[in-house]
């Protein structure tokens, strides 16, 4: 790719979705309550995973997975530990390439373009990621968000110019009201829940199209978890959200679609209600019923 | 939720020790070992205290304020041999000079080793190179420096005699050779800081579309800053305390001399002494010039190194409070 070419323009697809509340039936398998109204209109497909296979040396982590990712929906990847869900997630923004020995087969498509054809730094600005552990950088709250906006390594852009987008990102992450008056505070002095929301703000700052979340609540207390879950539900209107979670109740609460993986293979994919209440496969039924995990 | 059967209850194992944890109930062997551990720790404190107290008593006894700003003179008469202004300045010059050379080199080496490190064989060679430098006695480094810098082509670095004879001796050459002593400490400390940064912090930066260079510059180096500072302070202590290199390469003049015409640089190109060589030259085992002044200078040197150590401690402690990632 010509290095002088400007990065491809970000395609915003506005989904005009009337929010129709369809009361979810009371779950029988667990006590979780679905939190939000379902979007009933058609959603837009942004990414597609085709025959994806990822191996670490002799170990096959992901085996022949086909999966669409839609804007306007939360897709939850569930499955027992080591089933390849995090690897699948990390392959979407090509982060898996950083793992020594990892090899990928198959195809991943973002808006019709093969991700291998997109320059990796611009790909990762379009598909951003939040990690399991809150990991703000050791700088101020402002600089953490501004880091995502600035050119590579540069500090040249003035603070005043960046204030508006930084504020916007912090507002979208629901953090502005708590930290807006003291943006110079070191980010690592915040609470764990605040740190994780800062990481979400940082991921949102570059205005991505897809947001990947790798067990974002596993290190947090229930109250912070609830805040972040509400945040995810707001965010899915404007971008595609893919979340890996160990927490079945969380998947049930927030996911529109669920993909159940087992030993690297995609066993079942469908609407959350279907996967949780009418699973087609025995393994899925056992897993969502809590038989193994 | 789990369908696994609960394992049968096991009888609690018989304990050899009192669960309340009092050492009195421990077996004899454990009590003896505990005593040895305590003794080792206490002995170390006692030795350190003894050194500091001895030097304090001896040093303060002979330390006069005017010694700090009087220039030393070569004289057998104690009342006319002056103070140690020049050795103090020499020490400062050498410490700063060696650090200016060693810090960028050390940080760059550590970054390359941890963040790039390919090809592997080259990284291994770099590592053993650092180990060799760290393990080389300073007198050997000094001898090598003397042979190396006495070559005619490198004459601009050193004091030169009549007709352009290259002596291979100057404070600048001391700095260059002493920077080798500080280098392994800086590399080690910086690597430790980079290695202890969790992988997900690097990946968080890559996941924002940042290149490796931007990640190193804006995330990893700021993270490792306390470690770099620790390495530098350790290196400074090492450089300030070295005698052999300055003795061989410093030119052996008591006073700072200038060489060359560029102001500032001419002191580095000239010769001089440091507190260590001053102590050596005046100690009872050296030429036996002035043991009282040796004690005073030694106390000053010890105080300098102790302050550096204290600074290391402060920096290290501050960084622990600052970075609170879970791994």
């Amino acid at each position: 790719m010509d290095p002088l070419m400007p990065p491809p323009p970000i395609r915003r697809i506005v989904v005009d979705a009337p929010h129709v509340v369809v009361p979810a039936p009371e779950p029988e398998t667990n006590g979780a309550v679905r939190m939000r109204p379902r979007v009933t209109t058609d959603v837009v497909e942004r990414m597609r995973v085709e025959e994806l296979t990822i191996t670490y040396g002799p170990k096959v982590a992901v085996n022949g997975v086909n999966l669409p990712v839609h804007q306007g929906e939360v897709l939850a990847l569930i499955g027992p530990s080591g089933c390849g869900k995090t690897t699948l997630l990390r392959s979407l923004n090509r982060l898996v390439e950083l793992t020594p020995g990892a090899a990928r087969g198959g195809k991943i498509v973002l808006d019709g373009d093969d991700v291998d054809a997109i320059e990796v730094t611009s790909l990762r600005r379009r598909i951003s990621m939040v990690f399991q552990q809150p990991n703000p950088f050791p700088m101020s709250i402002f600089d953490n968000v501004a880091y995502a906006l600035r050119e590579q390594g540069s500090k040249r852009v003035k603070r005043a110019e960046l204030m508006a987008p930084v504020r916007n990102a912090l507002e979208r992450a629901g953090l502005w009201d708590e930290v807006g008056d003291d943006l110079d505070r070191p980010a690592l002095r915040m609470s764990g829940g605040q740190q994780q929301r800062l990481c979400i703000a940082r991921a949102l700052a570059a205005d991505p199209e897809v947001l990947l979340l790798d067990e974002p609540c596993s290190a947090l207390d229930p109250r912070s978890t609830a805040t972040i879950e509400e945040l995810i539900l707001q965010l899915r209107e404007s971008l595609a959200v893919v979340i890996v979670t160990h927490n079945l109740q969380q998947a049930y609460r927030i996911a529109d679609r669920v993909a159940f993986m087992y030993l690297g293979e995609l066993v079942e994919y469908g609407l959350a209600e279907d996967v949780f209440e009418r699973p087609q496969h025995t393994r899925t039924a056992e897993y969502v019923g809590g038989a193994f995990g | 939720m789990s369908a696994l059967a609960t394992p049968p209850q096991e009888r609690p194992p018989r304990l050899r020790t009192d669960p309340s944890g009092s050492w009195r109930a421990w077996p004899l062997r454990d009590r003896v070992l505990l005593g040895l551990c305590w003794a080792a720790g206490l002995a170390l404190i006692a030795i350190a205290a003894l050194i500091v107290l001895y030097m304090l008593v001896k040093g303060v006894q002979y330390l006069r304020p005017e010694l700090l700003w009087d220039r030393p003179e070569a004289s057998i008469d104690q009342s006319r041999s002056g103070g140690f202004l020049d050795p103090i300045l020499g020490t400062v010059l050498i410490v700063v000079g060696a650090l200016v050379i060693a810090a960028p080199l050390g940080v760059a080496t550590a970054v390359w080793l941890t963040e790039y490190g390919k090809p592997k064989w080259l990284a291994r060679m770099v590592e053993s190179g650092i180990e060799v430098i760290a393990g080389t006695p300073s007198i050997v480094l000094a001898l090598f420096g003397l042979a190396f810098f006495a070559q005619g082509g490198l004459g601009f670095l050193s004091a030169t005699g009549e007709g352009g004879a290259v002596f291979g001796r100057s404070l600048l050459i001391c700095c260059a050779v002493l920077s080798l002593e500080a280098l392994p400490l800086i590399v080690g400390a910086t690597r430790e800081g980079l290695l202890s940064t969790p992988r997900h912090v690097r990946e968080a930066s890559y996941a924002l579309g940042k290149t490796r260079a931007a990640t190193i510059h804006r995330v990893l180096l700021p993270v490792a800053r306390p470690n770099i500072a620790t390495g530098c302070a350790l290196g400074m202590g090492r450089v300030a305390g070295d005698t052999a290199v300055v003795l061989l390469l410093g030119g052996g003049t008591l006073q700072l001399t200038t060489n060359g015409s560029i102001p500032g640089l001419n002191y580095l190109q000239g010769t001089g002494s440091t507190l260590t060589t001053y102590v050596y030259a005046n100690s009872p085992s050296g030429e036996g010039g002035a043991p009282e002044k040796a004690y005073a200078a030694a106390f000053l040197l010890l105080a300098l190194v102790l302050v550096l150590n204290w600074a290391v401690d402060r920096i290290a402690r501050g960084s622990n409070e600052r970075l609170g990632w879970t791994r």
Side-chain angles (χ1 to χ4, degrees), chain B:
Chain B
M1 282 225 287
S2 169
L4 287 172
T6 25
Q9 281 227 317
E10 278 174 31
R11 204 177 293 158
R14 241 161 50 87
L15 299 173
R16 285 184 67 210
T17 52
D18 175 12
S20 72
S22 165
W23 61 271
R24 283 187 190 81
W26 291 10
L28 179 66
R29 196 191 55 185
D30 291 358
R31 274 182 287 163
V32 168
L33 277 173
L34 178 71
L36 283 176
C37 291
W38 270 89
L42 291 176
L44 213 63
I45 296 173
I47 291 168
L50 211 63
I51 293 172
V52 174
L53 280 178
Y54 182 77
M55 293 316 296
L56 185 76
V57 168
K58 282 280 194 182
V60 168
Q61 193 178 337
Y62 300 117
L63 194 62
R64 303 276 170 273
E66 60 269 21
L67 287 179
L68 296 178
W69 54 77
D70 280 354
R71 301 196 72 177
E73 302 289 345
S75 168
I76 300 170
D77 184 357
Q78 281 290 305
S79 61
R80 278 192 288 163
S81 64
F84 26 80
L85 176 69
D86 287 52
I88 291 173
L89 290 178
T91 302
V92 170
L93 264 179
I94 275 182
V95 165
V96 171
L99 207 66
V100 164
I101 299 170
L105 275 179
V107 171
T109 310
V111 165
W112 184 78
L113 276 174
T114 44
E115 300 305 313
Y116 296 89
K118 271 178 197 159
K120 276 240 166 69
W121 59 266
L122 189 61
R124 267 200 296 275
M125 273 175 71
V126 171
E127 272 172 14
S128 17
I130 294 166
E131 275 162 29
V132 167
I133 292 174
T136 310
S138 68
I139 186 75
V140 177
L141 282 179
L143 211 58
F144 166 77
L146 195 61
F148 186 78
F149 287 105
Q151 295 174 63
L154 296 166
F156 64 97
L157 292 172
S158 74
T160 41
E162 294 287 321
V166 177
F167 293 157
R169 289 167 205 189
S170 74
L171 291 184
L172 192 60
I173 287 172
C174 286
C175 292
V177 174
L178 283 170
S179 71
L180 291 179
E181 288 198 9
L183 194 72
L185 296 167
I186 296 173
V187 173
T190 309
R191 274 188 90 182
E192 196 186 317
L194 293 173
L195 288 174
S196 67
T197 309
R199 203 179 64 164
H200 61 82
V201 175
R202 286 178 179 77
E203 287 181 345
S205 177
Y206 298 143
L208 293 171
K210 297 294 174 182
T211 57
R212 192 177 285 204
T215 304
I216 290 168
H217 173 204
R218 297 275 284 121
V219 177
L220 293 176
L221 286 183
V223 167
R225 194 178 294 140
N227 298 76
I228 296 171
T230 305
C232 287
L234 286 172
M236 283 161 83
R238 184 79 186 273
V239 171
D242 191 273
T243 322
V245 172
V246 186
L247 209 58
L248 259 70
L249 298 174
T253 59
L254 201 51
Q255 296 194 346
L256 294 177
T257 64
T258 59
N259 185 56
S261 54
I262 307 159
L265 195 67
N266 55 5
Y267 277 100
L268 278 173
Q269 283 177 308
T271 60
S273 60
T274 61
L275 283 169
T276 50
T277 54
Y278 185 86
V279 171
Y280 172 75
N282 287 299
S283 72
S285 75
E287 278 139 54
E292 293 84 5
K293 284 185 179 161
Y295 278 123
F299 169 69
L300 206 63
L301 185 61
L302 186 66
L304 185 77
V305 174
L306 285 181
V307 166
L308 281 176
N309 282 355
W310 174 80
V312 170
D313 208 45
R314 284 295 304 269
I315 296 163
R317 232 172 257 179
S319 72
N320 285 345
E321 286 162 15
R322 210 163 55 87
L323 302 176
W325 291 303
T326 10
R327 262 150 237 284

Side-chain angles (χ1 to χ4, degrees), chain A residues 11 13-19 37-48 68-75 111 236-241 256-257 269 271:
Chain A
R11 251 178 78 203
I13 298 170
V14 179
V15 180
D16 192 11
H19 296 199
R38 260 200 58 69
V39 181
T40 50
T41 47
D42 287 338
V43 287
V44 183
E45 181 181 302
R46 297 306 297 268
M47 293 190 83
R48 171 164 281 281
V69 177
H70 298 119
Q71 177 181 324
E73 281 187 345
V74 176
L75 168 65
D111 287 341
R236 84 184 151 151
E237 316 275 315
S238 52
L239 31 77
V241 179
D256 299 289
R257 283 177 198 271
Y269 168 77
L271 290 171

Side-chain angles (χ1 to χ4, degrees), chain A:
Chain A
M1 195 174 177
D2 186 358
L4 293 176
M5 283 263 289
I10 289 177
R11 251 178 78 203
R12 283 270 149 238
I13 298 170
V14 179
V15 180
D16 192 11
H19 296 199
V20 183
V21 181
V22 178
E26 269 314 298
E28 290 161 13
T29 47
N30 51 42
V33 180
R34 284 177 78 76
M35 280 164 63
R36 76 289 170 276
R38 260 200 58 69
V39 181
T40 50
T41 47
D42 287 338
V43 287
V44 183
E45 181 181 302
R46 297 306 297 268
M47 293 190 83
R48 171 164 281 281
V49 175
E50 291 165 11
E51 287 301 323
L52 180 74
T53 300
I54 294 165
T55 52
Y56 297 119
K59 186 179 176 289
V60 180
V62 175
N63 193 2
V65 169
N66 290 289
L67 195 69
V69 177
H70 298 119
Q71 177 181 324
E73 281 187 345
V74 176
L75 168 65
L77 303 177
I78 61 169
S81 300
C83 70
K85 45 191 197 304
T86 297
T87 302
L88 173 61
L89 190 80
R90 286 162 59 89
S91 67
L92 295 180
N93 65 349
R94 290 174 58 188
L95 208 58
V96 79
E97 290 170 11
L98 297 175
T99 313
R104 180 160 70 84
K107 201 172 164 192
I108 300 172
V109 171
L110 170 66
D111 287 341
D113 300 325
D114 193 325
V115 292
D116 287 334
I118 304 171
E119 213 243 320
V120 71
T121 52
S122 73
L123 175 76
R124 290 183 187 148
R125 286 171 80 92
R126 294 171 66 184
I127 308 177
S128 66
M129 181 161 173
V130 174
F131 292 76
Q132 188 171 4
Q133 303 292 354
N135 50 11
F137 302 127
M139 3 168 149
S140 70
I141 295 170
F142 180 88
D143 282 337
N144 259 281
V145 183
Y147 179 68
L149 294 164
R150 285 178 166 132
E151 285 293 307
Q152 301 287 356
S154 161
K155 267 180 144 177
R156 249 173 305 174
V157 186
K158 290 278 183 315
R159 184 186 169 114
E161 289 172 47
L162 288 175
M163 188 48 98
V166 167
R167 177 178 180 154
N168 181 275
L170 287 170
E171 277 171 350
R172 283 177 86 187
L175 201 57
W176 178 260
D177 293 340
E178 289 164 54
V179 302
D181 52 349
D182 190 9
L183 293 177
D184 292 322
R185 198 148 57 104
L188 285 160
R189 293 254 172 84
M190 300 196 296
S191 74
Q194 285 178 326
Q195 286 189 13
Q196 192 64 307
R197 276 182 286 150
L198 179 65
C199 292
I200 294 177
R202 191 173 68 185
L204 292 174
D207 213 5
E209 296 150 74
V210 182
L211 181 66
L212 310 177
L213 301 146
D214 185 5
E215 298 183 44
C217 302
S218 68
L220 303 181
D221 62 281
R223 184 184 290 262
S224 308
T225 302
T227 316
I228 287 181
E229 285 180 4
E230 274 168 33
L231 186 61
I232 292 168
L233 292 175
Q234 287 164 23
L235 290 174
R236 84 184 151 151
E237 316 275 315
S238 52
L239 31 77
V241 179
V242 186
I243 180 170
V244 163
T245 179
H246 263 123
N247 184 337
L248 286 176
Q249 324 244 324
Q250 182 175 55
Y252 189 78
R253 281 195 298 267
I254 63 172
D256 299 289
R257 283 177 198 271
V258 172
F260 170 63
M261 292 183 70
Y262 186 69
L263 296 179
E265 288 179 20
L266 181 67
V267 177
E268 190 158 347
Y269 168 77
L271 290 171
E273 291 90 346
D274 293 342
V275 174
F276 278 108
E277 283 143 34
R278 291 172 292 279
Q280 303 295 308
H281 297 262
T282 331
R283 286 225 184 273
T284 321
E286 280 175 346
Y287 185 71
V288 299
F292 66 97

